[in-house]
Amino acid sequence: MPFISIITYFLVCLAFSPVKQESRQQLQSDSSAQALQTKKTDLSPVAEQIRCHFEKVQGIAPSDAVRQTFNNRLALFYTAREFKPVWTKQTMAAELISAIDKAEQHGLIPADYHSTEIRYFSENPPLTPQLQARYDLLLSDAFLTLAYHLRFGKVLPESLDPDWNVNRTLAKSALEFRLQQAIAAERIAGLLDELSPRHPGYERMKKGLAHYRVIVKTGGWQKVTEGKKIKEGDRDNRVRQIRRRLQESGDLVFRSADTSRVFSKAMADAVVRFQKRNGLSVDGAAGAETIREMNISAAERIEQIRINMERYRWFIGDLEQRAVLVNIPGFTLQYIDNGQPRWETRVIVGKTGRETPLFKADMQYIVFNPQWVIPPTILAKDALPGIRKSRSYLYSRNLKVIDRNGRVVDPATVNWSQYTAANLPYRLQQTAGDHGSLGRIKFMLPNKHIVYLHDTPHKELFQKSTRNFSSGCIRVQNPLELAELVLQDSVKWNSDAINAAIKTGKTSNVNLPKHIPVYLLYLTAFPQDDAIHFRGDVYNRDNDVLKALNKSLPEFKTESCGL
């Protein structure tokens, strides 16, 4: 019979438990084998079956080294209990079964936690030691795996994006202790509830998921026929379809059985609400872009919410009281203070092919009147090809050629054709000022990607609904306001002082009084104004998360001991 996925969470977090490295290595290599040498006569029949299971598992070559490590650590978990079964009280199992059933509320899949087989055993108590042992192992696996998924997510973000670097090691170590305590105290449901994200935004995502599931259960919404743009006052047979669609999503209040073909002001206002909620250009008219968005089914929206609830679990439990959150698909920056959203502004992010990476780094200092040195990517893809065509590329962008000794070089004296971005012995530097690519202020969060936040002279681009125009860095619409917030000094660094520093025209660095974590996130669904807002998948990342989220956990099969 199959024994599904050896406790993903517990095995991982044991690696970070507070044990000296030498001791941990010794445990992993020796303790399982030593424990399995326990005399069979010293154990109850069920405990002997559990011990025998691990003894046999040791002799079966797993599919990979990680599986072997997982097997060893699960053996250690039961070894600490002398292989005694954990789930000896039906009330504990009942609490876990109830929690598994509620996993769907979090966008998770109950089948990942052996829901069918556990429920069968609950309703048909196993009579033999072999089956009793199997039931206990399934319950332990389900409990620990569900606990991990609720706290950290089912999908390892690093497996999809190697740049993801939110460190959760200490949290995992603390979680291990809490799981052990919960078993001892017989408070299974209470702990699982505590481990799920307590953030208000996540709770609203749960409500949104339930809301869209009700819509699907009642039949969803019908597609709107595509056609010419419909504006306020227009008559069109499709107006009835649009009216019904807006009512079904709650954007238009149902008043009576209105069958008019006229696109009324009330409908235009409802379209505005729909467009804002979906990150579209707002004009109150039902054009091609708006109709395409309306025709995304409620079932697809459910999957989009599930994807982003998973992304929330990747970071929300470790979010600091003060932080900066950049949502790339939302093209927004949010300043969090005392755990609450305090301020928000629009941003511009990386274009296709030069996507802004997802990672966490500390904002450490601000540069007023920054001079821009062209980074390697832009140097290779834009600057050098442009200069080879015409040196006007330099003049039109106010770029100076500077050698390694800091001396300005006449670009006419350089043989540009012999250099690449890798061997160019010069840097291309743009002077500070309103015309500069970085504008008047830059926010530094040192990282391997050379990505930072900065001002921009191209303010008009912030009026676009989709704002992926940069080469990877993040352009901020209201950088002076952000500077005042992060400098946290209303006397020394108020708006007047910041403007005065800029007006000097001199490049200067100002350290933040305290480093502020900056999260570069990718959320295509998020709560706002008591509704779920949706955004386009600009970097085509949603499908990979959904596939991983829906993928069944790997089985582990063994014929040992009748298990």
Side-chain angles (χ1 to χ4, degrees):
M1 297 176 69
F3 175 60
I4 302 178
S5 80
I6 303 291
I7 311 182
T8 303
Y9 159 69
F10 188 74
L11 307 175
V12 174
C13 72
L14 271 175
F16 300 100
S17 57
V19 179
K20 289 183 179 180
Q21 182 65 26
E22 313 85 68
S23 301
R24 185 186 302 124
Q25 292 174 345
Q26 188 67 25
L27 278 172
Q28 292 177 359
S29 61
D30 298 338
S31 59
S32 293
Q34 292 173 354
L36 294 175
Q37 296 174 3
T38 303
K39 293 181 179 180
K40 297 183 181 183
T41 56
D42 295 339
L43 301 176
S44 70
V46 176
E48 168 56 24
Q49 287 298 321
I50 293 173
R51 185 205 65 80
C52 182
H53 165 74
F54 291 113
E55 181 180 56
K56 298 296 183 182
V57 164
Q58 280 198 333
I60 299 175
S63 58
D64 54 42
V66 174
R67 171 62 65 194
Q68 183 64 62
T69 301
F70 283 0
N71 290 347
N72 290 342
R73 289 172 179 167
L74 181 58
L76 290 176
F77 168 65
Y78 272 97
T79 297
R81 301 177 52 82
E82 296 181 341
F83 303 103
K84 294 176 183 176
V86 177
W87 305 88
T88 55
K89 294 188 178 180
Q90 182 60 29
T91 53
M92 291 173 61
E95 285 188 20
L96 179 57
I97 290 170
S98 177
I100 291 172
D101 290 340
K102 293 176 181 177
E104 282 189 325
Q105 298 176 9
H106 298 271
L108 298 170
I109 303 172
D112 282 339
Y113 316 107
H114 322 306
S115 55
T116 300
E117 192 168 1
I118 284 175
R119 187 172 294 281
Y120 174 82
F121 278 135
S122 174
E123 296 171 354
N124 302 275
L127 301 178
T128 67
Q130 293 95 332
L131 292 178
Q132 289 170 358
R134 176 171 177 76
Y135 185 29
D136 202 80
L137 289 166
L138 287 171
L139 287 166
S140 294
D141 182 63
F143 174 56
L144 299 172
T145 304
L146 179 57
Y148 179 85
H149 289 176
L150 288 173
R151 177 61 179 83
F152 300 118
K154 173 182 175 179
V155 181
L156 286 174
E158 299 90 340
S159 68
L160 301 179
D161 186 349
D163 291 331
W164 184 262
N165 64 341
V166 177
N167 191 335
R168 303 173 299 182
T169 298
L170 294 176
K172 288 178 181 178
S173 178
L175 178 57
E176 174 201 347
F177 176 77
R178 293 180 67 183
L179 291 171
Q180 294 169 339
Q181 292 297 307
I183 290 172
E186 300 178 13
R187 52 182 309 271
I188 305 304
L191 178 64
L192 291 174
D193 184 60
E194 292 168 7
L195 289 176
S196 65
R198 316 296 289 177
H199 192 272
Y202 184 85
E203 290 296 324
R204 290 189 300 188
M205 291 285 280
K206 281 178 63 179
K207 291 179 180 178
L209 179 61
H211 171 69
Y212 277 87
R213 280 178 167 157
V214 170
I215 293 174
V216 169
K217 192 174 182 179
T218 55
W221 47 64
Q222 299 299 312
K223 286 193 173 185
V224 176
T225 304
E226 296 181 359
K228 67 177 184 178
K229 178 182 286 190
I230 306 174
K231 304 184 295 296
E232 183 179 344
D234 288 350
R235 292 177 180 273
D236 194 295
N237 289 331
R238 294 177 298 141
V239 167
R240 299 186 183 99
Q241 296 178 339
I242 296 170
R243 181 185 297 112
R244 185 166 57 250
R245 170 65 179 81
L246 292 169
Q247 289 170 341
E248 288 167 340
S249 59
D251 295 291
L252 179 64
V253 177
F254 180 84
R255 300 185 186 281
S256 60
D258 188 352
T259 59
S260 170
R261 296 172 58 247
V262 177
F263 195 80
S264 65
K265 182 180 185 305
M267 287 188 65
D269 291 342
V271 169
V272 166
R273 285 190 287 273
F274 178 86
Q275 290 169 335
K276 288 181 177 179
R277 195 161 46 80
N278 290 278
L280 306 176
S281 298
V282 177
D283 61 4
E289 182 185 43
T290 298
I291 296 299
R292 280 196 300 271
E293 202 74 16
M294 286 182 175
N295 285 339
I296 296 174
S297 70
E300 290 175 282
R301 291 307 193 193
I302 285 174
E303 298 300 76
Q304 196 170 351
I305 293 171
R306 290 181 60 231
I307 289 165
N308 288 281
M309 290 181 74
E310 176 72 0
R311 288 175 172 145
Y312 263 82
R313 289 188 286 267
W314 292 348
F315 77 94
I316 203 69
D318 302 295
L319 184 63
E320 294 82 353
Q321 287 292 295
R322 178 178 285 113
V324 171
L325 308 183
V326 176
N327 183 15
I328 291 170
F331 309 110
T332 56
L333 179 151
Q334 193 173 62
Y335 179 72
I336 306 296
D337 190 19
N338 198 26
Q340 299 296 321
R342 177 176 170 185
W343 179 81
E344 186 172 305
T345 191
R346 296 183 175 192
V347 298
I348 292 169
V349 301
K351 66 183 79 173
T352 302
R354 302 186 192 181
E355 293 89 349
T356 299
L358 308 182
F359 65 95
K360 175 187 175 184
D362 285 346
M363 185 186 296
Q364 300 182 15
Y365 64 98
I366 288 175
V367 182
F368 291 124
N369 301 307
Q371 298 185 55
W372 184 46
V373 176
I374 291 189
T377 299
I378 298 178
L379 185 63
K381 295 184 177 181
D382 298 335
L384 287 177
I387 296 168
R388 292 185 190 112
K389 289 181 180 178
S390 173
R391 287 196 296 274
S392 64
Y393 182 95
L394 295 168
Y395 306 134
S396 64
R397 292 164 175 77
N398 295 303
L399 290 168
K400 294 180 179 179
V401 181
I402 300 175
D403 68 16
R404 290 168 178 167
N405 295 317
R407 294 174 298 201
V408 176
V409 175
D410 182 353
T413 65
V414 178
N415 183 359
W416 295 100
S417 62
Q418 70 175 333
Y419 294 120
T420 67
N423 65 8
L424 183 69
Y426 310 102
R427 69 177 185 270
L428 305 184
Q429 183 171 298
Q430 190 178 66
T431 56
D434 291 331
H435 61 274
S437 296
L438 304 184
R440 290 290 192 169
I441 189 167
K442 178 170 67 168
F443 303 84
M444 297 304 296
L445 38 143
N447 60 84
K448 67 179 182 180
H449 310 284
I450 321 178
V451 166
Y452 45 82
L453 284 60
H454 64 89
D455 186 14
T456 175
H458 301 293
K459 303 292 187 183
E460 72 282 358
L461 294 177
F462 290 108
Q463 302 311 310
K464 303 283 188 179
S465 58
T466 300
R467 298 185 291 276
N468 52 331
F469 305 121
S470 83
S471 290
C473 287
I474 299 138
R475 306 176 194 172
V476 181
Q477 184 179 26
N478 298 299
L480 273 63
E481 294 178 34
L482 179 60
E484 190 173 357
L485 288 168
V486 300
L487 287 171
Q488 305 173 48
D489 191 333
S490 60
V491 177
K492 185 176 179 181
W493 288 112
N494 54 34
S495 60
D496 289 340
I498 290 171
N499 278 298
I502 289 172
K503 286 179 181 178
T504 65
K506 295 180 179 179
T507 300
S508 60
N509 295 354
V510 180
N511 291 326
L512 271 58
K514 186 176 181 180
H515 293 177
I516 298 177
V518 178
Y519 290 77
L520 305 189
L521 304 172
Y522 196 91
L523 300 172
T524 57
F526 52 89
Q528 186 172 310
D529 302 327
D530 297 323
I532 302 300
H533 286 228
F534 299 99
R535 295 296 183 266
D537 184 11
V538 291
Y539 293 166
N540 297 314
R541 289 173 174 256
D542 277 4
N543 195 48
D544 287 343
V545 178
L546 183 61
K547 284 182 179 179
L549 189 59
N550 287 340
K551 184 178 180 181
S552 298
L553 297 182
E555 291 186 343
F556 183 86
K557 296 182 179 181
T558 175
E559 303 296 330
S560 64
C561 306
L563 293 174

